[in-house]
Amino acid sequence: MASAASAALLSYLSLSFPLLPHYSPRGTQPHAAAAAASAEKAASLSPLGFRCLRAAAASLAAMAGQERRTIDLEEGWAFMQKGITKLKNILEGKPEPQFSSEDYMMLYTTIYNMCTQKPPHDYSQQLYDKYRESFEEYITSMVLPSLRDKHDEFMLRELVKRWSNHKIMVRWLSRFFFYLDRYFISRRSLTPLEQVGLTCFRDLIYQEIKGQVKGAVIALIDKEREGEQIDRALLKNVLGIFVEIGLGSMECYENDFEDFLLKDTTDYYSLKAQSWILEDSCPDYMIKAEECLKKEKERVGHYLHISSEQKLLEKVQNELLAQYATPLLEKEHSGCFALLRDDKEEDLSRMYRLFSKITRGLEPIANMFKTHVTNEGTALVKQAEDSASNKKPEKKDMVGMQEQVFVWKIIELHDKYVAYVTECFQGHTLFHKALKEAFEVFCNKGVSGSSSAELLATFCDNILKKGCSEKLSDEAIEDALEKVKCVEVFKEFYQTRTKHRKLTWIYSLGTCNINAKFEAKTIELIVTTYQAALLLLFNGSDRLSYSEIVTQLNLSDDDVVRLLHSLSCAKYKILNKEPANRSISPNDVFEFNSKFTDRMRRIKIPLPPVDEKKKVVEDVDKDRRYAIDASIVRIMKSRKVMGHQQLVAECVEQLSRMFKPDFKAIKKRIEDLITRDYLEREKDNANVYRYLA
Amino acid sequence: MRRSSKKSSSSAAAATAGPTRGVSKEIERIDQLFYTYADSSSGMIDPEGIETLCSHLEVPHTDIRILMLAWKMGCEKQGYFTLDEWRSGLKALRADSISKLKKAFPELVTRPSNFQDFYPYAFRYCLTEDKKKCIEIPVACELLNLVLSLQFRPQVDKLVNYLKHQSEYKVINMDQWMGFLRFCNEINFPSLDNYDSDLAWPLILDNFVEWLRENKSFQHWGL
């Protein structure tokens, strides 16, 4: 039958594949052999090849169907058994030639015939059962024993090999029995062949051995955790089995392996953490934690299934970080506070990275950050307070300096910790908020009577002034030599540069170099514009009284006092003053001090700065007075008559958005308004006011 | 009463003649008195004239009675009496001679019922210029002594002392002036127990009370 079948096949093939040499059914042997060889080549065992062969065999069988001899079950099965045995031998590694396409064809055809025979010789059901039995027999006789007598890593290797073999066996057998899949199985909605095969392995081997396998794998993992080298490829393959054996679902992997892995991981790191937290400093602990997380992630990449990553890392984070957050962060000399104190930015960045992954892990850190910044700021406030209260009366001007220094320091503090927020804490809103709240706490503390708002305003004022004066001087130097010309040239220059702008000179910021011809030698004096103007007056008169100076300079008394002080009562006495005390009075008379000299040839005569703070306070007070007045008038205009306490209360309410006026201030304003005839007291009740239209 | 035309005319004449004569006599005398003190060029009694008047009345010219006289006259300008003012004042006092004027004085002083009017008048009288609304502290102190010390000696003494010591206020305005009177009338002195600074007392009085209370504690410690 074989030769008849192959002859038929050849002729069929020659029809399908015109390139093949044409052979008559009764070809000579050499030709037949060659033909067989070509056929084998032509019909490789690729899926396409299989299909071709199947098709060929089917048609062949169909053509030969009428004259077919009935194969009875035992006979047919014996034939199949040979094939199966051959396959087993190959898998066992015994010397056995590979299946030829002819072999395959025969096996397939046998099945086909036995399934298509007329009852009672259609053996589909039996063949289906025998198919399964083949696996079962093989597994129980060969596979299980081989696994049972091995342990640990050896067992794992054996398992991987057996699984691989099994898959091949399933693939081949299901191809032999394929015809069952096509009609019998699908018609009766039975389990397909491939699945049957795999399920056998699962039920007979996997179920028995999975516990051991899991144990062995986890043991290896723990070994690797302790630093030993393990066979990662092996683990990858073993875990591949867990995945594949689920036949499309991850159930086996998760229930039979992953759950145990997670438990083991938890226990492992819990133990580690217990000792690390006692032995290690916070930064060291964190470095270890970060390393562990990195390693576990790599583990996933090497052999665990990707779906384990999230769960695994969560466990590690929980055991190492979440459980020990408080003792870790609050470690005495190395915890969060210490790191902030010692500017350990790298460690703080690590802390952020680690704790940002934990639910609400950043909150305690943000709080500590806030506390730390608050403390730093409060210390600066105290420092400024202390140095302000230690001031000596003569050094009153230095107070302003201290407060300016304070503002600089506050700005530096802010810059420093803003950098921390953006770099270490990756700009997280929690930390922005913490920084803001910290600054709110100590910025609302006053420093020697001034609020921080005042100090900042004064500070900005100084910055602007200093900046401006430099600019003006530069531009002045750039231009002509003579004073007058300089101004005009600059004016023209300015007009050409910027149209539609008014040029206003800020004389108080200009500087001037004056050559003063003293008896001993000529000295160059570097003074402000106003000082220069004052000195130049003495070119016209030897002696000048205070009032004459005021008249000629046309400046305010305050300004003139400052100027005269700087020239007659300070370090360099350019002018002599009568009487020769240290304060300027309107009765003083001044004279050019020709006897003045100094070893330097050029002296800068500084002007003491105006007590800006006082001025700021005055201006603010003035503004507030107007605001209070307006509020009182508004209220009284609408109510006409009102009692004192009620008026005060309403006034405070109205102004509450801007500032908190004190009762005395309001009283004073009311009295003033009475004097100005806006209000009057009621005739019979002095506590009640009436609006005067 | 029925009057016949004849009678009326005659009686009228008699009526006008009699009282008119009486009245005009009085007015004449008043006017005459005025001109003895008035300055011929201005037609008013000027400060010099007032001084002379005072010496005739045997009253120092800083005396409150002169002030009260001025008030009665409705004098507008401090130190000057016009004829009209003189007339109305002396008429009200029913005096047409120096002696009668002298006699009317006690009545002036001991009649406190009009004091509420007199008191602000005294302040206004001291305003030296038209637009001015305040008087200087030293003047205020003098005025307080003059006007209130009879009735409220202890308060005035303390208040004057305070005003001289404090430096916040350089002048006193009408509202504060009136406040002083209210203070003397209403507040228990020297206990000050019913003074409430949350009420609408002028600020200067709040400060005064605070000062009193502080000084009291010093006194308590024998300082």
Side-chain angles (χ1 to χ4, degrees), chain A residues 403-432:
Chain A
E403 284 150 0
Q404 299 308 305
V405 165
F406 166 71
V407 176
W408 267 122
K409 286 193 176 167
I410 292 290
I411 291 177
E412 271 172 14
L413 188 78
H414 188 262
D415 285 346
K416 177 177 172 188
Y417 287 110
V418 159
Y420 269 51
V421 172
T422 33
E423 283 156 29
C424 300
F425 304 128
Q426 295 180 25
H428 194 280
T429 43
L430 257 183
F431 290 87
H432 272 302

PDB file of all heavy atoms in Angstrom, chain A residues 403-432:
ATOM      1  N   GLU A 403      19.641  95.798  59.676  1.00  0.00           N
ATOM      2  CA  GLU A 403      18.373  95.359  59.120  1.00  0.00           C
ATOM      3  C   GLU A 403      18.512  95.039  57.643  1.00  0.00           C
ATOM      4  O   GLU A 403      17.881  94.109  57.151  1.00  0.00           O
ATOM      5  CB  GLU A 403      17.290  96.419  59.348  1.00  0.00           C
ATOM      6  CG  GLU A 403      16.821  96.396  60.800  1.00  0.00           C
ATOM      7  CD  GLU A 403      16.370  97.742  61.295  1.00  0.00           C
ATOM      8  OE1 GLU A 403      16.427  98.701  60.515  1.00  0.00           O
ATOM      9  OE2 GLU A 403      15.978  97.826  62.461  1.00  0.00           O
ATOM     10  N   GLN A 404      19.369  95.772  56.945  1.00  0.00           N
ATOM     11  CA  GLN A 404      19.599  95.466  55.530  1.00  0.00           C
ATOM     12  C   GLN A 404      20.288  94.119  55.400  1.00  0.00           C
ATOM     13  O   GLN A 404      19.961  93.315  54.531  1.00  0.00           O
ATOM     14  CB  GLN A 404      20.467  96.551  54.879  1.00  0.00           C
ATOM     15  CG  GLN A 404      19.823  97.923  54.913  1.00  0.00           C
ATOM     16  CD  GLN A 404      18.407  97.907  54.351  1.00  0.00           C
ATOM     17  OE1 GLN A 404      18.161  97.479  53.237  1.00  0.00           O
ATOM     18  NE2 GLN A 404      17.451  98.345  55.151  1.00  0.00           N
ATOM     19  N   VAL A 405      21.237  93.894  56.290  1.00  0.00           N
ATOM     20  CA  VAL A 405      21.920  92.593  56.286  1.00  0.00           C
ATOM     21  C   VAL A 405      20.904  91.480  56.503  1.00  0.00           C
ATOM     22  O   VAL A 405      20.934  90.451  55.832  1.00  0.00           O
ATOM     23  CB  VAL A 405      22.990  92.543  57.406  1.00  0.00           C
ATOM     24  CG1 VAL A 405      23.445  91.115  57.647  1.00  0.00           C
ATOM     25  CG2 VAL A 405      24.170  93.414  57.046  1.00  0.00           C
ATOM     26  N   PHE A 406      19.995  91.743  57.424  1.00  0.00           N
ATOM     27  CA  PHE A 406      18.940  90.757  57.708  1.00  0.00           C
ATOM     28  C   PHE A 406      18.155  90.442  56.439  1.00  0.00           C
ATOM     29  O   PHE A 406      17.897  89.282  56.125  1.00  0.00           O
ATOM     30  CB  PHE A 406      18.035  91.323  58.798  1.00  0.00           C
ATOM     31  CG  PHE A 406      16.732  90.591  58.954  1.00  0.00           C
ATOM     32  CD1 PHE A 406      16.687  89.311  59.499  1.00  0.00           C
ATOM     33  CD2 PHE A 406      15.531  91.162  58.550  1.00  0.00           C
ATOM     34  CE1 PHE A 406      15.490  88.642  59.652  1.00  0.00           C
ATOM     35  CE2 PHE A 406      14.336  90.493  58.707  1.00  0.00           C
ATOM     36  CZ  PHE A 406      14.312  89.234  59.247  1.00  0.00           C
ATOM     37  N   VAL A 407      17.807  91.472  55.698  1.00  0.00           N
ATOM     38  CA  VAL A 407      17.014  91.241  54.495  1.00  0.00           C
ATOM     39  C   VAL A 407      17.813  90.437  53.477  1.00  0.00           C
ATOM     40  O   VAL A 407      17.306  89.507  52.858  1.00  0.00           O
ATOM     41  CB  VAL A 407      16.534  92.574  53.880  1.00  0.00           C
ATOM     42  CG1 VAL A 407      15.804  92.319  52.575  1.00  0.00           C
ATOM     43  CG2 VAL A 407      15.616  93.301  54.845  1.00  0.00           C
ATOM     44  N   TRP A 408      19.112  90.781  53.331  1.00  0.00           N
ATOM     45  CA  TRP A 408      19.965  89.997  52.429  1.00  0.00           C
ATOM     46  C   TRP A 408      19.945  88.524  52.826  1.00  0.00           C
ATOM     47  O   TRP A 408      19.811  87.646  51.983  1.00  0.00           O
ATOM     48  CB  TRP A 408      21.406  90.484  52.507  1.00  0.00           C
ATOM     49  CG  TRP A 408      21.788  91.510  51.506  1.00  0.00           C
ATOM     50  CD1 TRP A 408      22.268  92.759  51.739  1.00  0.00           C
ATOM     51  CD2 TRP A 408      21.722  91.376  50.086  1.00  0.00           C
ATOM     52  NE1 TRP A 408      22.494  93.408  50.573  1.00  0.00           N
ATOM     53  CE2 TRP A 408      22.184  92.604  49.544  1.00  0.00           C
ATOM     54  CE3 TRP A 408      21.334  90.362  49.210  1.00  0.00           C
ATOM     55  CZ2 TRP A 408      22.265  92.832  48.169  1.00  0.00           C
ATOM     56  CZ3 TRP A 408      21.415  90.599  47.846  1.00  0.00           C
ATOM     57  CH2 TRP A 408      21.871  91.823  47.339  1.00  0.00           C
ATOM     58  N   LYS A 409      20.083  88.309  54.105  1.00  0.00           N
ATOM     59  CA  LYS A 409      20.149  86.921  54.582  1.00  0.00           C
ATOM     60  C   LYS A 409      18.840  86.181  54.322  1.00  0.00           C
ATOM     61  O   LYS A 409      18.857  85.010  53.964  1.00  0.00           O
ATOM     62  CB  LYS A 409      20.460  86.903  56.086  1.00  0.00           C
ATOM     63  CG  LYS A 409      21.896  87.243  56.397  1.00  0.00           C
ATOM     64  CD  LYS A 409      22.235  86.906  57.836  1.00  0.00           C
ATOM     65  CE  LYS A 409      23.696  87.171  58.099  1.00  0.00           C
ATOM     66  NZ  LYS A 409      23.995  87.148  59.506  1.00  0.00           N
ATOM     67  N   ILE A 410      17.754  86.884  54.520  1.00  0.00           N
ATOM     68  CA  ILE A 410      16.450  86.258  54.251  1.00  0.00           C
ATOM     69  C   ILE A 410      16.356  85.876  52.780  1.00  0.00           C
ATOM     70  O   ILE A 410      15.873  84.796  52.436  1.00  0.00           O
ATOM     71  CB  ILE A 410      15.308  87.231  54.611  1.00  0.00           C
ATOM     72  CG1 ILE A 410      15.263  87.455  56.101  1.00  0.00           C
ATOM     73  CG2 ILE A 410      13.978  86.726  54.106  1.00  0.00           C
ATOM     74  CD1 ILE A 410      14.809  86.250  56.877  1.00  0.00           C
ATOM     75  N   ILE A 411      16.846  86.784  51.929  1.00  0.00           N
ATOM     76  CA  ILE A 411      16.784  86.488  50.491  1.00  0.00           C
ATOM     77  C   ILE A 411      17.657  85.287  50.177  1.00  0.00           C
ATOM     78  O   ILE A 411      17.263  84.393  49.427  1.00  0.00           O
ATOM     79  CB  ILE A 411      17.232  87.724  49.681  1.00  0.00           C
ATOM     80  CG1 ILE A 411      16.174  88.817  49.823  1.00  0.00           C
ATOM     81  CG2 ILE A 411      17.447  87.368  48.229  1.00  0.00           C
ATOM     82  CD1 ILE A 411      16.532  90.103  49.146  1.00  0.00           C
ATOM     83  N   GLU A 412      18.844  85.262  50.775  1.00  0.00           N
ATOM     84  CA  GLU A 412      19.731  84.114  50.550  1.00  0.00           C
ATOM     85  C   GLU A 412      19.075  82.815  51.005  1.00  0.00           C
ATOM     86  O   GLU A 412      19.143  81.799  50.319  1.00  0.00           O
ATOM     87  CB  GLU A 412      21.037  84.302  51.339  1.00  0.00           C
ATOM     88  CG  GLU A 412      22.095  85.042  50.571  1.00  0.00           C
ATOM     89  CD  GLU A 412      23.293  85.369  51.442  1.00  0.00           C
ATOM     90  OE1 GLU A 412      23.428  84.807  52.542  1.00  0.00           O
ATOM     91  OE2 GLU A 412      24.087  86.210  50.996  1.00  0.00           O
ATOM     92  N   LEU A 413      18.457  82.897  52.167  1.00  0.00           N
ATOM     93  CA  LEU A 413      17.780  81.709  52.709  1.00  0.00           C
ATOM     94  C   LEU A 413      16.725  81.210  51.733  1.00  0.00           C
ATOM     95  O   LEU A 413      16.618  80.020  51.448  1.00  0.00           O
ATOM     96  CB  LEU A 413      17.131  82.073  54.052  1.00  0.00           C
ATOM     97  CG  LEU A 413      16.558  80.913  54.838  1.00  0.00           C
ATOM     98  CD1 LEU A 413      17.664  80.154  55.521  1.00  0.00           C
ATOM     99  CD2 LEU A 413      15.575  81.409  55.895  1.00  0.00           C
ATOM    100  N   HIS A 414      15.975  82.163  51.234  1.00  0.00           N
ATOM    101  CA  HIS A 414      14.913  81.797  50.307  1.00  0.00           C
ATOM    102  C   HIS A 414      15.472  81.149  49.049  1.00  0.00           C
ATOM    103  O   HIS A 414      15.001  80.112  48.590  1.00  0.00           O
ATOM    104  CB  HIS A 414      14.096  83.038  49.956  1.00  0.00           C
ATOM    105  CG  HIS A 414      12.874  82.727  49.173  1.00  0.00           C
ATOM    106  ND1 HIS A 414      12.814  82.836  47.800  1.00  0.00           N
ATOM    107  CD2 HIS A 414      11.665  82.262  49.549  1.00  0.00           C
ATOM    108  CE1 HIS A 414      11.630  82.467  47.388  1.00  0.00           C
ATOM    109  NE2 HIS A 414      10.899  82.112  48.424  1.00  0.00           N
ATOM    110  N   ASP A 415      16.509  81.794  48.508  1.00  0.00           N
ATOM    111  CA  ASP A 415      17.117  81.242  47.291  1.00  0.00           C
ATOM    112  C   ASP A 415      17.604  79.826  47.523  1.00  0.00           C
ATOM    113  O   ASP A 415      17.391  78.933  46.699  1.00  0.00           O
ATOM    114  CB  ASP A 415      18.306  82.116  46.856  1.00  0.00           C
ATOM    115  CG  ASP A 415      17.838  83.415  46.216  1.00  0.00           C
ATOM    116  OD1 ASP A 415      16.641  83.503  45.875  1.00  0.00           O
ATOM    117  OD2 ASP A 415      18.658  84.326  46.077  1.00  0.00           O
ATOM    118  N   LYS A 416      18.263  79.655  48.678  1.00  0.00           N
ATOM    119  CA  LYS A 416      18.821  78.332  48.957  1.00  0.00           C
ATOM    120  C   LYS A 416      17.732  77.266  48.970  1.00  0.00           C
ATOM    121  O   LYS A 416      17.857  76.207  48.343  1.00  0.00           O
ATOM    122  CB  LYS A 416      19.510  78.387  50.322  1.00  0.00           C
ATOM    123  CG  LYS A 416      20.083  77.059  50.772  1.00  0.00           C
ATOM    124  CD  LYS A 416      20.817  77.230  52.098  1.00  0.00           C
ATOM    125  CE  LYS A 416      21.218  75.870  52.638  1.00  0.00           C
ATOM    126  NZ  LYS A 416      21.756  75.970  53.984  1.00  0.00           N
ATOM    127  N   TYR A 417      16.661  77.555  49.683  1.00  0.00           N
ATOM    128  CA  TYR A 417      15.658  76.508  49.830  1.00  0.00           C
ATOM    129  C   TYR A 417      14.724  76.387  48.643  1.00  0.00           C
ATOM    130  O   TYR A 417      14.119  75.342  48.440  1.00  0.00           O
ATOM    131  CB  TYR A 417      14.928  76.661  51.171  1.00  0.00           C
ATOM    132  CG  TYR A 417      15.843  76.242  52.298  1.00  0.00           C
ATOM    133  CD1 TYR A 417      16.356  77.163  53.193  1.00  0.00           C
ATOM    134  CD2 TYR A 417      16.263  74.923  52.400  1.00  0.00           C
ATOM    135  CE1 TYR A 417      17.240  76.774  54.187  1.00  0.00           C
ATOM    136  CE2 TYR A 417      17.140  74.525  53.388  1.00  0.00           C
ATOM    137  CZ  TYR A 417      17.630  75.458  54.283  1.00  0.00           C
ATOM    138  OH  TYR A 417      18.506  75.061  55.253  1.00  0.00           O
ATOM    139  N   VAL A 418      14.620  77.429  47.858  1.00  0.00           N
ATOM    140  CA  VAL A 418      13.883  77.271  46.594  1.00  0.00           C
ATOM    141  C   VAL A 418      14.634  76.292  45.710  1.00  0.00           C
ATOM    142  O   VAL A 418      14.047  75.442  45.043  1.00  0.00           O
ATOM    143  CB  VAL A 418      13.705  78.635  45.893  1.00  0.00           C
ATOM    144  CG1 VAL A 418      13.423  78.438  44.428  1.00  0.00           C
ATOM    145  CG2 VAL A 418      12.562  79.399  46.515  1.00  0.00           C
ATOM    146  N   ALA A 419      15.972  76.415  45.729  1.00  0.00           N
ATOM    147  CA  ALA A 419      16.783  75.478  44.946  1.00  0.00           C
ATOM    148  C   ALA A 419      16.558  74.049  45.431  1.00  0.00           C
ATOM    149  O   ALA A 419      16.438  73.121  44.635  1.00  0.00           O
ATOM    150  CB  ALA A 419      18.258  75.850  45.044  1.00  0.00           C
ATOM    151  N   TYR A 420      16.466  73.887  46.729  1.00  0.00           N
ATOM    152  CA  TYR A 420      16.207  72.561  47.283  1.00  0.00           C
ATOM    153  C   TYR A 420      14.884  72.022  46.755  1.00  0.00           C
ATOM    154  O   TYR A 420      14.772  70.864  46.355  1.00  0.00           O
ATOM    155  CB  TYR A 420      16.106  72.634  48.819  1.00  0.00           C
ATOM    156  CG  TYR A 420      17.399  72.412  49.543  1.00  0.00           C
ATOM    157  CD1 TYR A 420      18.539  73.117  49.210  1.00  0.00           C
ATOM    158  CD2 TYR A 420      17.481  71.487  50.563  1.00  0.00           C
ATOM    159  CE1 TYR A 420      19.722  72.902  49.878  1.00  0.00           C
ATOM    160  CE2 TYR A 420      18.671  71.271  51.255  1.00  0.00           C
ATOM    161  CZ  TYR A 420      19.786  71.990  50.904  1.00  0.00           C
ATOM    162  OH  TYR A 420      20.961  71.791  51.560  1.00  0.00           O
ATOM    163  N   VAL A 421      13.881  72.885  46.770  1.00  0.00           N
ATOM    164  CA  VAL A 421      12.557  72.433  46.336  1.00  0.00           C
ATOM    165  C   VAL A 421      12.600  72.001  44.875  1.00  0.00           C
ATOM    166  O   VAL A 421      12.060  70.967  44.503  1.00  0.00           O
ATOM    167  CB  VAL A 421      11.491  73.538  46.542  1.00  0.00           C
ATOM    168  CG1 VAL A 421      10.174  73.141  45.913  1.00  0.00           C
ATOM    169  CG2 VAL A 421      11.303  73.822  48.016  1.00  0.00           C
ATOM    170  N   THR A 422      13.246  72.793  44.035  1.00  0.00           N
ATOM    171  CA  THR A 422      13.245  72.444  42.614  1.00  0.00           C
ATOM    172  C   THR A 422      14.159  71.272  42.316  1.00  0.00           C
ATOM    173  O   THR A 422      13.836  70.450  41.467  1.00  0.00           O
ATOM    174  CB  THR A 422      13.688  73.626  41.724  1.00  0.00           C
ATOM    175  OG1 THR A 422      14.642  74.400  42.441  1.00  0.00           O
ATOM    176  CG2 THR A 422      12.514  74.487  41.343  1.00  0.00           C
ATOM    177  N   GLU A 423      15.312  71.192  43.021  1.00  0.00           N
ATOM    178  CA  GLU A 423      16.256  70.142  42.652  1.00  0.00           C
ATOM    179  C   GLU A 423      16.102  68.858  43.463  1.00  0.00           C
ATOM    180  O   GLU A 423      15.891  67.798  42.906  1.00  0.00           O
ATOM    181  CB  GLU A 423      17.681  70.683  42.747  1.00  0.00           C
ATOM    182  CG  GLU A 423      17.979  71.556  41.539  1.00  0.00           C
ATOM    183  CD  GLU A 423      19.082  72.551  41.804  1.00  0.00           C
ATOM    184  OE1 GLU A 423      19.946  72.235  42.634  1.00  0.00           O
ATOM    185  OE2 GLU A 423      19.058  73.618  41.182  1.00  0.00           O
ATOM    186  N   CYS A 424      16.200  68.995  44.777  1.00  0.00           N
ATOM    187  CA  CYS A 424      16.073  67.776  45.584  1.00  0.00           C
ATOM    188  C   CYS A 424      14.650  67.232  45.543  1.00  0.00           C
ATOM    189  O   CYS A 424      14.441  66.021  45.472  1.00  0.00           O
ATOM    190  CB  CYS A 424      16.433  68.036  47.043  1.00  0.00           C
ATOM    191  SG  CYS A 424      18.090  68.624  47.277  1.00  0.00           S
ATOM    192  N   PHE A 425      13.689  68.133  45.626  1.00  0.00           N
ATOM    193  CA  PHE A 425      12.316  67.677  45.771  1.00  0.00           C
ATOM    194  C   PHE A 425      11.524  67.800  44.478  1.00  0.00           C
ATOM    195  O   PHE A 425      10.299  67.746  44.483  1.00  0.00           O
ATOM    196  CB  PHE A 425      11.632  68.452  46.897  1.00  0.00           C
ATOM    197  CG  PHE A 425      12.356  68.352  48.217  1.00  0.00           C
ATOM    198  CD1 PHE A 425      12.703  69.473  48.933  1.00  0.00           C
ATOM    199  CD2 PHE A 425      12.713  67.113  48.729  1.00  0.00           C
ATOM    200  CE1 PHE A 425      13.376  69.369  50.142  1.00  0.00           C
ATOM    201  CE2 PHE A 425      13.384  67.000  49.942  1.00  0.00           C
ATOM    202  CZ  PHE A 425      13.717  68.139  50.651  1.00  0.00           C
ATOM    203  N   GLN A 426      12.257  67.967  43.380  1.00  0.00           N
ATOM    204  CA  GLN A 426      11.649  67.949  42.051  1.00  0.00           C
ATOM    205  C   GLN A 426      10.395  68.813  41.937  1.00  0.00           C
ATOM    206  O   GLN A 426       9.442  68.445  41.268  1.00  0.00           O
ATOM    207  CB  GLN A 426      11.327  66.492  41.658  1.00  0.00           C
ATOM    208  CG  GLN A 426      12.620  65.702  41.515  1.00  0.00           C
ATOM    209  CD  GLN A 426      12.389  64.264  41.125  1.00  0.00           C
ATOM    210  OE1 GLN A 426      11.375  63.938  40.532  1.00  0.00           O
ATOM    211  NE2 GLN A 426      13.347  63.407  41.449  1.00  0.00           N
ATOM    212  N   GLY A 427      10.443  69.961  42.611  1.00  0.00           N
ATOM    213  CA  GLY A 427       9.376  70.930  42.457  1.00  0.00           C
ATOM    214  C   GLY A 427       8.004  70.471  42.912  1.00  0.00           C
ATOM    215  O   GLY A 427       6.991  71.019  42.503  1.00  0.00           O
ATOM    216  N   HIS A 428       7.982  69.464  43.781  1.00  0.00           N
ATOM    217  CA  HIS A 428       6.690  68.948  44.232  1.00  0.00           C
ATOM    218  C   HIS A 428       5.917  70.013  45.009  1.00  0.00           C
ATOM    219  O   HIS A 428       6.495  70.737  45.801  1.00  0.00           O
ATOM    220  CB  HIS A 428       6.943  67.739  45.127  1.00  0.00           C
ATOM    221  CG  HIS A 428       5.718  66.925  45.368  1.00  0.00           C
ATOM    222  ND1 HIS A 428       4.762  67.273  46.306  1.00  0.00           N
ATOM    223  CD2 HIS A 428       5.272  65.793  44.795  1.00  0.00           C
ATOM    224  CE1 HIS A 428       3.804  66.370  46.296  1.00  0.00           C
ATOM    225  NE2 HIS A 428       4.083  65.453  45.410  1.00  0.00           N
ATOM    226  N   THR A 429       4.600  70.079  44.762  1.00  0.00           N
ATOM    227  CA  THR A 429       3.794  71.145  45.386  1.00  0.00           C
ATOM    228  C   THR A 429       3.846  71.095  46.909  1.00  0.00           C
ATOM    229  O   THR A 429       3.845  72.129  47.561  1.00  0.00           O
ATOM    230  CB  THR A 429       2.313  71.053  44.995  1.00  0.00           C
ATOM    231  OG1 THR A 429       1.931  69.675  45.063  1.00  0.00           O
ATOM    232  CG2 THR A 429       2.072  71.610  43.630  1.00  0.00           C
ATOM    233  N   LEU A 430       3.926  69.896  47.471  1.00  0.00           N
ATOM    234  CA  LEU A 430       3.988  69.791  48.936  1.00  0.00           C
ATOM    235  C   LEU A 430       5.128  70.626  49.495  1.00  0.00           C
ATOM    236  O   LEU A 430       4.994  71.279  50.526  1.00  0.00           O
ATOM    237  CB  LEU A 430       4.226  68.340  49.338  1.00  0.00           C
ATOM    238  CG  LEU A 430       3.021  67.551  49.863  1.00  0.00           C
ATOM    239  CD1 LEU A 430       3.456  66.168  50.274  1.00  0.00           C
ATOM    240  CD2 LEU A 430       2.386  68.259  51.047  1.00  0.00           C
ATOM    241  N   PHE A 431       6.257  70.613  48.782  1.00  0.00           N
ATOM    242  CA  PHE A 431       7.428  71.307  49.304  1.00  0.00           C
ATOM    243  C   PHE A 431       7.381  72.793  49.022  1.00  0.00           C
ATOM    244  O   PHE A 431       7.868  73.596  49.810  1.00  0.00           O
ATOM    245  CB  PHE A 431       8.709  70.669  48.735  1.00  0.00           C
ATOM    246  CG  PHE A 431       8.930  69.306  49.308  1.00  0.00           C
ATOM    247  CD1 PHE A 431       8.359  68.194  48.719  1.00  0.00           C
ATOM    248  CD2 PHE A 431       9.665  69.139  50.469  1.00  0.00           C
ATOM    249  CE1 PHE A 431       8.526  66.941  49.275  1.00  0.00           C
ATOM    250  CE2 PHE A 431       9.842  67.888  51.021  1.00  0.00           C
ATOM    251  CZ  PHE A 431       9.270  66.784  50.424  1.00  0.00           C
ATOM    252  N   HIS A 432       6.794  73.145  47.889  1.00  0.00           N
ATOM    253  CA  HIS A 432       6.582  74.577  47.637  1.00  0.00           C
ATOM    254  C   HIS A 432       5.726  75.153  48.747  1.00  0.00           C
ATOM    255  O   HIS A 432       6.000  76.226  49.275  1.00  0.00           O
ATOM    256  CB  HIS A 432       5.872  74.776  46.289  1.00  0.00           C
ATOM    257  CG  HIS A 432       6.820  74.882  45.132  1.00  0.00           C
ATOM    258  ND1 HIS A 432       7.801  75.842  45.075  1.00  0.00           N
ATOM    259  CD2 HIS A 432       6.933  74.178  44.004  1.00  0.00           C
ATOM    260  CE1 HIS A 432       8.494  75.682  43.950  1.00  0.00           C
ATOM    261  NE2 HIS A 432       7.989  74.699  43.281  1.00  0.00           N
TER     262      HIS A 432
END
